[in-house]
Amino acid sequence: MVAHVLRLRIALVFGALRGDRRHLTRMILGSIVLIAAVAAGCWAVLTLADTRAGVVLAVTVLGGSGVTLGFALAPIVASVSDPLDPRRFAVLGLAPAPLAATIAAVGLVSVPIAAVTAVAVAAGVTWGELGTPWWAIAVGIILAVVTCGLLARVGMAVTSLFLRERRSRELTGLFILAVLVVVVPVGVFLASLEWRGTVPSQLSEAVEILALTPLGAAWAFPGLVVTGAEAAPLSFLVAFLTVAALTGLWFWLVRVLLTTSERPLTGRERGGLGWFAVAPGTPGGAIAARSLLYWLTDRRYLVNVLAIPVAAALTVVPLLVAGVPLEIAVLVPVPVAALFFGWLPHNDLAYDSTAVWMHIGSGVRGASDRIGRLVPIILIGVVLLAVAVPISISLHGRWSALPAMTGLCAALFLCGLGLSSITSATWPYPVTRPGDSPFQQPQRTGSGGALAQAFVMLGAMVLSAPVAWWGWLSLGGDEEATTLALWGGLAIGGFTAIAGIAVGSAVFERRGSRIMEFAESS
């Protein structure tokens, strides 16, 4: 059976190269990029043979842990079906245990596994030149590759059981954003470190911890052996137990898959409803899905979002002209962007035009309306700030300022969101109608627009002023101020956001008729 399934697997691999010219071109280009990336990775690992064992250990543990984590997350992020799904073999009446063993073995025949094997072998060659025994290298390579393969199998099985009903392009996009929020800051931090032949002090403890976790134990074992570390046996034990646990989990999942029938999917579950298929089936979830659709497709929203990073970046120019040092000037754009992102939804209710009657006519609670409308800007703002903050700190040069910058941005962003929840229901003012040019602004009567904008902008700045002061003190090396800036910013911002949503909810429910009158007249 193993040989037969192996032949099917090889046929599937080569069958991916068949198709029309566009598909074939895409596959060839993808293969070239993959081969180049693997070759570059192997070359980079092989060049480490002339460095210290500690540096090689740090690089292999960090890189190997990232690769292993990628194998665990890839099935969740990618919306692809498993060609070796055990349910495909259900009609053959095979026993679960032999089938699980066969699929696990044949699953190692894949392009990603071949790539990680090549990198692992390159790491093994490097360890061999540093004096690591061959048996330790072989054990490390086998455990690392098998761990990656089993993680991919388990991940695809779990995805088919629990995420199949909501699998869609939108859900995949959310997963990718979540990965970016973690990967980009970490990548910027690692790129900013200066190794100079030794392991930076910021990474030493992280490497020691990862070497004893399921993610990095197998990759660390050869290095711990050659350095004579006392943690080598423990690292081997963790790696072995990880493979054993994943094997047991995989066998159990195969049994569950073979004994669980798939129910037909509804239109919502097939993902045909876009964000409505991803969001929870609640009033707040429906409003969040509709708001996401507007924010990602309506030109009026897109222009506002795209203008913020540009405007924030331009603030550096006058500062440099005024003689502000570059390492201080690069810290300004990110808090400015955080302030504007929090300010952005201060009038979002007006962008609905007459469509706001759906919220009022259905009797939706104010909290559902307020929270649902904030979901898009929270997703956009958090992702962009998570990328921009570490880049700004990297240009600044002192990573000790990261907590203070995080606290300040959180305070400005969350305070703006809380105050915007109040103003959008209290002082809505006319905006561009749906379908019109985003640069065409209607004539306004009264001071409601200026009042709403000033209330959110100045209110967020005033509430965040203590955090800004603590952040300024932290630039001078005050560790206590750094801690106050981080936790004070989160506390002030969180409290303001919750209080603003509560007040805005009450205002929305009380002023429903006036909001509808505004929508009809604007």
Side-chain angles (χ1 to χ4, degrees):
M1 182 174 65
V2 175
H4 181 66
V5 176
L6 180 59
R7 286 196 297 270
L8 292 176
R9 178 60 173 169
I10 295 175
L12 287 172
V13 172
F14 286 99
L17 299 176
R18 300 175 182 176
D20 56 19
R21 180 178 299 178
R22 179 180 300 178
H23 173 76
L24 184 60
T25 302
R26 189 164 56 246
M27 292 299 299
I28 292 176
L29 291 177
S31 300
I32 294 174
V33 171
L34 178 62
I35 293 173
V38 173
C42 293
W43 176 81
V45 173
L46 291 173
T47 57
L48 295 175
D50 297 331
T51 60
R52 299 179 182 179
V55 175
V56 180
L57 178 63
V59 172
T60 54
V61 170
L62 292 172
S65 298
V67 170
T68 305
L69 183 61
F71 272 87
L73 295 178
I76 301 176
V77 174
S79 57
V80 295
S81 59
D82 182 12
L84 294 178
D85 193 322
R87 285 177 291 198
R88 298 176 183 264
F89 301 89
V91 295
L92 302 178
L94 302 175
L99 178 62
T102 299
I103 295 177
V106 174
L108 297 176
V109 181
S110 66
V111 175
I113 293 296
V116 74
T117 301
V119 175
V121 170
V125 172
T126 301
W127 283 123
E129 294 184 4
L130 293 175
T132 305
W134 68 267
W135 60 267
I137 297 174
V139 169
I141 293 175
I142 293 173
L143 289 175
V145 173
V146 173
T147 299
C148 291
L150 288 174
L151 277 175
R153 299 255 64 84
V154 170
M156 284 186 281
V158 171
T159 301
S160 65
L161 280 174
F162 301 106
L163 292 181
R164 174 178 173 269
E165 299 173 355
R166 289 182 178 268
R167 172 61 69 194
S168 64
R169 180 180 57 186
E170 290 77 13
L171 184 61
T172 300
L174 288 179
F175 286 139
I176 293 176
L177 290 179
V179 172
L180 287 177
V181 169
V182 177
V183 171
V184 173
V186 173
V188 173
F189 172 71
L190 293 178
S192 66
L193 297 178
E194 298 181 2
W195 291 72
R196 296 179 180 177
T198 60
V199 181
S201 58
Q202 301 94 323
L203 295 183
S204 299
E205 186 175 353
V207 171
E208 294 176 1
I209 295 174
L210 287 173
L212 300 179
T213 63
L215 295 177
W219 298 92
F221 177 67
L224 295 177
V225 170
V226 72
T227 57
E230 297 180 356
L234 184 58
S235 177
F236 168 77
L237 181 62
V238 171
F240 179 79
L241 292 179
T242 299
V243 172
L246 289 174
T247 302
L249 181 59
W250 167 245
F251 274 68
W252 176 78
L253 286 171
V254 170
R255 184 177 297 276
V256 171
L257 289 170
L258 292 177
T259 56
T260 303
S261 59
E262 297 183 78
R263 65 182 180 85
L265 301 181
T266 63
R268 169 186 170 88
E269 294 169 337
R270 290 192 187 99
L273 297 179
W275 289 109
F276 291 93
V278 177
T282 61
I287 294 172
R290 191 168 72 88
S291 299
L292 281 166
L293 186 63
Y294 287 175
W295 279 84
L296 298 177
T297 58
D298 195 320
R299 292 176 299 172
R300 300 173 299 168
Y301 290 97
L302 293 175
V303 168
N304 290 334
V305 172
L306 294 177
I308 290 178
V310 177
L314 291 177
T315 58
V316 177
V317 178
L319 294 175
L320 295 178
V321 172
V324 177
L326 178 62
E327 60 271 14
I328 301 297
V330 294
L331 297 177
V332 176
V334 182
V336 171
L339 175 63
F340 276 103
F341 277 125
W343 172 85
L344 202 56
H346 73 277
N347 194 37
D348 62 347
L349 187 145
Y351 284 93
D352 279 9
S353 189
T354 55
V356 74
W357 74 266
M358 291 188 296
H359 297 213
I360 299 173
S362 60
V364 67
R365 297 181 58 187
S368 299
D369 179 88
R370 301 290 87 190
I371 296 174
R373 290 180 182 275
L374 293 182
V375 168
I377 192 61
I378 289 176
L379 288 177
I380 296 172
V382 168
V383 172
L384 293 181
L385 291 176
V387 173
V389 168
I391 293 178
S392 175
I393 296 298
S394 175
L395 295 175
H396 172 65
R398 292 179 61 248
W399 281 92
S400 59
L402 178 62
M405 175 66 77
T406 302
L408 178 59
C409 291
L412 291 168
F413 181 55
L414 294 176
C415 287
L417 293 181
L419 298 177
S420 294
S421 296
I422 300 175
T423 59
S424 64
T426 306
W427 301 301
Y429 57 89
V431 295
T432 308
R433 288 183 174 274
D436 292 343
S437 171
F439 301 102
Q440 175 184 345
Q441 297 298 325
Q443 293 183 353
R444 301 167 183 170
T445 59
S447 58
L451 183 61
Q453 296 178 33
F455 177 77
V456 177
M457 186 73 68
L458 297 178
M461 294 173 64
V462 170
L463 291 172
S464 304
V467 185
W469 174 247
W470 293 328
W472 177 257
L473 294 178
S474 70
L475 291 179
D478 191 336
E479 296 183 1
E480 183 178 356
T482 302
T483 304
L484 285 174
L486 174 61
W487 297 111
L490 293 175
I492 293 174
F495 176 79
T496 305
I498 295 173
I501 291 173
V503 174
S505 302
V507 173
F508 179 84
E509 294 178 2
R510 288 178 177 270
R511 301 188 74 250
S513 58
R514 294 190 178 183
I515 291 174
M516 198 62 230
E517 291 176 4
F518 162 79
E520 291 290 346
S521 60
S522 60

